Amino acid sequence: DAVNLYVRRVAGGERIRLTDDAAFKDDPSFSPDGDRIAFARRRPAPARPEICVIPTLGGRAIPVITDGRTPVWSPDGNHLAFIQVRRGEPEALAVAAADGSEMRILLKADAVNPFFNRLVWSPDGSLVAFSRSGGGVAQEIWLMPSAGGQPRRLWQDPPGVVSADPVFTPDGRGIVH
């Protein structure tokens, strides 16, 4: 079944249907200025996942990144961080310009942590926090400089504790998860 995107003003009014096709859409992310929405789209098999950008109040969805999911906008609205998922390759944490150009891999998954999950930019755009996993529900929060560099695990959870879905505090000094 298709999943489509809709928007509605928080103050009320009718919802606006943004997409109308057979593809599955996931992980919508508003640009900081509110004018665009980035989202992941998977067409019926055997197509590859892609990241698209669509105007918030309707228009054509433009594919900007192939083999990507979970897009999030940089605070300045000029870049997208996302998870690259290419068949036969490890997942990767990547960044590209909002039009899909200048794509850079920040970190490739490894045998210990083959999966990336939710990502978020720091308010100043210098860091990307993300969940990493070895599989199952167990996840940990990691930090990565958005310009590239060494990843850093923030802490190691005790058995039975799961840290996921990081969100920076507005001042960028803390992470809620």
Side-chain angles (χ1 to χ4, degrees), residues 32-158:
D33 64 8
D35 287 344
R36 298 167 290 168
I37 299 171
F39 64 95
R41 176 169 73 182
R42 292 190 315 271
R43 297 181 185 279
R48 300 174 351 205
E50 61 188 356
I51 294 171
C52 300
V53 174
I54 193 168
T56 299
L57 296 179
R60 192 167 75 90
I62 309 288
V64 294
I65 297 167
T66 58
D67 300 320
R69 65 176 174 84
T70 320
V72 291
W73 293 91
S74 62
D76 63 9
N78 292 328
H79 293 86
L80 291 165
F82 61 96
I83 299 167
Q84 185 183 64
V85 285
R86 288 194 170 149
R87 185 169 283 132
E89 293 182 22
E91 288 188 355
L93 176 63
V95 173
D99 65 2
S101 65
E102 303 173 30
M103 202 269 295
R104 295 178 288 117
I105 300 293
L106 297 180
L107 180 64
K108 287 196 175 204
D110 56 32
V112 175
N113 290 297
F115 305 107
F116 293 108
N117 296 295
R118 300 285 171 199
L119 357 149
V120 64
W121 291 79
S122 62
D124 67 2
S126 67
L127 297 169
V128 176
F130 55 96
S131 304
R132 257 182 123 171
S133 168
V137 296
Q139 296 180 43
E140 295 177 327
I141 307 295
W142 288 65
L143 276 180
M144 180 81 199
S146 60
Q150 285 296 102
R152 180 170 57 99
R153 182 173 56 195
L154 292 184
W155 57 84
Q156 185 154 5
D157 289 325

Side-chain angles (χ1 to χ4, degrees), residues 2-7 15-26 28 37-43 50 52-63:
V3 172
N4 286 293
L5 296 180
Y6 295 82
V7 292
R15 68 182 182 170
I16 299 170
R17 186 177 189 154
L18 297 180
T19 60
D20 187 12
D21 60 43
F24 181 83
K25 288 92 176 171
D26 203 5
I37 299 171
F39 64 95
R41 176 169 73 182
R42 292 190 315 271
R43 297 181 185 279
E50 61 188 356
C52 300
V53 174
I54 193 168
T56 299
L57 296 179
R60 192 167 75 90
I62 309 288

